[in-house]
Amino acid sequence: MGETDNKLTEEAIDQKSGEEALAEAAASEMVDEASAVQRQLEEQKNDYLRLAAEFDNYRKRTTREFASLVKTANESLVGELLEVLDNFERAFKSREEKPDFEAYHKGMTLVFDRLTAILGRAGLKRFESVGQKFDPNLHEAMMQVEAADQEPDTIAIEIQPGYELNDKVIRHAKVGVVKAAEPKDENK
């Protein structure tokens, strides 16, 4: 066993050392890749947390802004209605100081017209009911009325007017509806 065996053993050791070196290099490369992936994962996690915090702040800010908007949405309408309130106060004071029915009536008519104009600009609209076909989406029947000259289910009288705000019914009209004529009993 001499020299040949020693050469084979050295070659085997050299080959084994080369494989171990390759394995160590591969392991080192895998550790480097794992570290790079770990860093990338940490960066993405930080980006995600930052984005989540920004979104949460945005949500809170928009909620506050919406609440503020809701609180002040009618501010201009109320400001205009204060003018009408002032006019009512002046009219009542004038009535006490100088009772002139004609002037009082004229003043109240002007105040009423101003109020309806303000509410109309805000989207309020009164709808007509008399002579219309009864519609449960617009009307609330309060009574039945006999009227030979009108068709059944037609509105004969309006007890309280109905209103829409921006095309949405906010108060149904209270009405009297024509009832169907009862058949005459010929046996009586």
Side-chain angles (χ1 to χ4, degrees), residues 63-106:
T63 301
R64 280 192 310 270
E65 288 172 356
F66 182 75
S68 174
L69 180 66
V70 167
K71 283 181 182 178
T72 60
N74 294 326
E75 189 173 326
S76 64
L77 175 63
V78 170
E80 288 186 74
L81 290 176
L82 286 175
E83 294 175 23
V84 173
L85 184 63
D86 292 342
N87 288 337
F88 271 123
E89 288 178 355
R90 281 191 282 276
F92 291 140
K93 188 175 181 181
S94 168
R95 174 88 170 140
E96 291 171 5
E97 292 173 358
K98 183 179 168 195
D100 179 4
F101 179 75
E102 291 298 320
Y104 183 74
H105 182 265
K106 190 175 185 178

Side-chain angles (χ1 to χ4, degrees), residues 75-145:
E75 189 173 326
S76 64
L77 175 63
V78 170
E80 288 186 74
L81 290 176
L82 286 175
E83 294 175 23
V84 173
L85 184 63
D86 292 342
N87 288 337
F88 271 123
E89 288 178 355
R90 281 191 282 276
F92 291 140
K93 188 175 181 181
S94 168
R95 174 88 170 140
E96 291 171 5
E97 292 173 358
K98 183 179 168 195
D100 179 4
F101 179 75
E102 291 298 320
Y104 183 74
H105 182 265
K106 190 175 185 178
M108 284 303 205
T109 301
L110 289 172
V111 172
F112 178 79
D113 291 344
R114 175 79 174 134
L115 178 62
T116 55
I118 290 170
L119 294 174
R121 282 194 305 274
L124 186 70
K125 184 175 90 173
R126 179 179 176 166
F127 56 85
E128 293 298 318
S129 296
V130 176
Q132 304 292 318
K133 201 76 165 158
F134 178 78
D135 180 355
N137 296 316
L138 301 173
H139 309 111
E140 181 180 346
M142 301 303 289
M143 66 170 87
Q144 289 186 329
V145 181

Side-chain angles (χ1 to χ4, degrees), residues 4-175:
T4 313
D5 286 336
N6 280 343
K7 277 187 176 181
L8 287 174
T9 306
E10 285 178 19
E11 285 177 11
I13 290 175
D14 286 342
Q15 187 177 5
K16 220 177 194 182
S17 296
E19 288 174 1
E20 287 177 4
L22 283 175
E24 285 179 16
S28 174
E29 189 176 307
M30 288 174 71
V31 167
D32 290 344
E33 284 181 26
S35 295
V37 168
Q38 185 67 30
R39 279 192 304 275
Q40 188 179 13
L41 182 63
E42 285 295 321
E43 288 174 11
Q44 288 179 347
K45 180 181 174 187
N46 289 337
D47 289 346
Y48 169 76
L49 291 174
R50 195 174 306 112
L51 185 62
E54 287 176 12
F55 180 74
D56 190 48
N57 290 338
Y58 166 77
R59 185 183 51 79
K60 288 176 183 175
R61 183 177 61 249
T62 55
T63 301
R64 280 192 310 270
E65 288 172 356
F66 182 75
S68 174
L69 180 66
V70 167
K71 283 181 182 178
T72 60
N74 294 326
E75 189 173 326
S76 64
L77 175 63
V78 170
E80 288 186 74
L81 290 176
L82 286 175
E83 294 175 23
V84 173
L85 184 63
D86 292 342
N87 288 337
F88 271 123
E89 288 178 355
R90 281 191 282 276
F92 291 140
K93 188 175 181 181
S94 168
R95 174 88 170 140
E96 291 171 5
E97 292 173 358
K98 183 179 168 195
D100 179 4
F101 179 75
E102 291 298 320
Y104 183 74
H105 182 265
K106 190 175 185 178
M108 284 303 205
T109 301
L110 289 172
V111 172
F112 178 79
D113 291 344
R114 175 79 174 134
L115 178 62
T116 55
I118 290 170
L119 294 174
R121 282 194 305 274
L124 186 70
K125 184 175 90 173
R126 179 179 176 166
F127 56 85
E128 293 298 318
S129 296
V130 176
Q132 304 292 318
K133 201 76 165 158
F134 178 78
D135 180 355
N137 296 316
L138 301 173
H139 309 111
E140 181 180 346
M142 301 303 289
M143 66 170 87
Q144 289 186 329
V145 181
E146 289 184 23
D149 61 331
Q150 293 181 342
E151 290 187 30
D153 293 333
T154 302
I155 298 171
I157 59 172
E158 182 178 68
I159 299 166
Q160 186 178 51
Y163 289 92
E164 294 176 321
L165 180 62
N166 299 319
D167 298 324
K168 179 185 176 199
V169 175
I170 61 168
R171 185 170 85 182
H172 292 78
K174 293 183 179 180
V175 296

